[in-house]
Amino acid sequence: MNKDLEKTLVLGHHGMVGSAVVRAMKRRGLPPPMTAGRQELDCLDQSAVFEYIRREKPTCIVVAAAKVGGIEANRTQMSEFMYENLTLMTNVIGAAWRAQVPSLMFLGSSCIYPRMAEQPIREYSLLSGPLEPTNEGYAIAKIAGMKMCQYLRRQYGMKYLSVMPTNLYGPGDNYNPGNSHVLPALIRKFEEARNARSGSITLWGTGRALREFLHVDDLADAILFMLDAENPPDWVNVGSGEEVSIKTLAEKIRDATDAQCEIEWDSSHPDGTPRKLLDCSLINSLGWKASIKLDDGIRRTIDDFRRELHAGTLRQ
């Protein structure tokens, strides 16, 4: 075991990625990580973050805390997305550096890449063109975080890394109809349509946009894999290699939920980036590959949604 993982702090452990990292550490037999929810640690409070990390002395930090949302939330709350994510990552990464925490993993996003980047998107595409306008604020904050990690590693030898996951889904996802991502939003819509016995359902966009999806348990495994690597790259793409149109995705979820309804498309709403497929040859060459196929992952996630709804733990 990498000795840096002996005292790991997972920030955002109530979220989808953070909780998946906690589960992955347990599966690997690693020591239970430290966790700090918002009531224990406000990551927007610089002095509180600095004092907490100085006092607790973690040997590794996984920065899975962030303000996240779908196209509509990113488009209409761009200043909040930029401010909160910039503040959080500056506070945490800065405090880790000052406290000489040897290892840190920053969670980026595939939206850091240019809107019209060559497909599949390679890591070197970063900063090579304009971003997708609907989530530019969030993307700029994430780019700043990963570049800060790169600079600290270059200047001081800290093992500060970043992963760029594609679109995520899985247990603990956010199902709020106002700010959830596309896959959980579709699960909720089709579940509600099934329960209401609706004959049709209207979805935003044209359905032609192409997306790649990764189960969050695969991402958690990739995070631990990279942290355990001896001399990994500064950042890597993490994806499944499976690309699907939103139309096909909607049909898959409709069939998996057994919703008996037709799908209508409202093209007055934006599709977002036309295509976004990550080239994961770099992390694959290091020995990691995704293992959960989309169809299986969708079925598992629908089961998770129903369990969470029944237990009253659904994130909304």
Side-chain angles (χ1 to χ4, degrees):
M1 178 185 72
N2 184 335
K3 63 181 178 59
D4 289 347
L5 299 178
E6 292 176 358
K7 196 175 182 183
T8 299
L9 169 63
V10 177
L11 295 174
H13 72 288
H14 289 306
M16 179 170 62
V17 175
S19 60
V21 172
V22 173
R23 290 194 304 272
M25 293 184 70
K26 183 177 181 179
R27 284 195 302 271
R28 290 191 176 207
L30 295 169
M34 294 186 293
T35 57
R38 291 181 184 177
Q39 292 183 337
E40 302 163 86
L41 178 62
D42 179 3
C43 288
L44 300 183
D45 183 335
Q46 185 183 73
S47 61
V49 174
F50 275 52
E51 172 57 25
Y52 181 91
I53 292 177
R54 183 199 63 77
R55 182 181 70 246
E56 298 299 331
K57 297 180 173 61
T59 54
C60 177
I61 301 176
V62 177
V63 189
K67 180 177 178 64
V68 297
I71 291 176
E72 187 65 11
N74 272 280
R75 184 180 67 83
T76 59
Q77 303 171 45
M78 199 167 293
S79 57
E80 288 89 345
F81 273 81
M82 187 171 185
Y83 168 75
E84 291 191 25
N85 285 295
L86 271 174
T87 302
L88 184 151
M89 69 88 184
T90 302
N91 289 347
V92 173
I93 299 172
W97 164 49
R98 297 201 176 207
Q100 293 295 289
V101 176
S103 184
L104 181 144
M105 175 61 74
F106 179 70
L107 188 72
S109 167
S110 59
C111 74
I112 64 160
Y113 292 118
R115 170 179 162 81
M116 300 306 291
E118 183 180 350
Q119 304 285 329
I121 305 171
R122 300 290 299 272
E123 285 85 355
Y124 60 68
S125 295
L126 182 69
L127 299 177
S128 64
L131 300 166
E132 162 59 39
T134 57
N135 60 14
E136 186 178 84
Y138 177 76
I140 289 173
K142 287 295 185 180
I143 292 169
M146 61 188 290
K147 295 301 284 187
M148 181 180 286
C149 288
Q150 182 188 42
Y151 298 151
L152 287 170
R153 186 180 185 190
R154 182 184 300 167
Q155 287 180 243
Y156 300 103
M158 321 294 283
K159 190 178 180 181
Y160 288 7
L161 313 172
S162 304
V163 290
M164 304 301 116
T166 189
N167 301 284
L168 299 172
Y169 69 102
D173 209 338
N174 171 27
Y175 292 92
N176 186 303
N179 60 16
S180 58
H181 289 106
V182 61
L183 197 150
L186 289 174
I187 288 177
R188 178 167 186 155
K189 282 179 177 289
F190 282 113
E191 276 289 277
E192 290 176 349
R194 180 180 67 86
N195 291 329
R197 300 179 184 274
S198 300
S200 67
I201 185 172
T202 299
L203 302 178
W204 286 6
T206 65
R208 292 193 292 267
L210 297 172
R211 292 292 183 270
E212 174 188 24
F213 296 92
L214 180 75
H215 195 280
V216 71
D217 285 345
D218 271 337
L219 173 62
D221 184 63
I223 287 172
L224 295 181
F225 175 86
M226 293 300 297
L227 285 170
D228 201 39
E230 186 172 341
N231 187 31
D234 289 335
W235 64 80
V236 293
N237 292 336
V238 184
S240 64
E242 292 185 76
E243 190 176 32
V244 63
S245 71
I246 298 301
K247 178 177 183 295
T248 299
L249 177 70
E251 292 167 350
K252 285 177 179 289
I253 294 174
R254 177 189 60 186
D255 295 345
T257 56
D258 198 28
Q260 305 295 316
C261 59
E262 297 296 320
I263 301 173
E264 299 176 357
W265 296 93
D266 181 356
S267 60
S268 67
H269 293 278
D271 282 329
T273 303
R275 187 186 185 204
K276 193 164 62 173
L277 176 66
L278 296 182
D279 184 319
C280 295
S281 57
L282 180 54
I283 192 171
N284 292 165
S285 71
L286 300 175
W288 182 90
K289 287 188 178 181
S291 62
I292 301 172
K293 297 297 183 183
L294 182 60
D295 287 346
D296 180 43
I298 287 173
R299 287 191 294 269
R300 288 164 56 172
T301 304
I302 291 169
D303 289 341
D304 290 324
F305 171 88
R306 291 169 176 168
R307 275 195 299 271
E308 292 165 21
L309 183 63
H310 180 74
T313 59
L314 196 70
R315 285 181 60 210
Q316 303 186 69

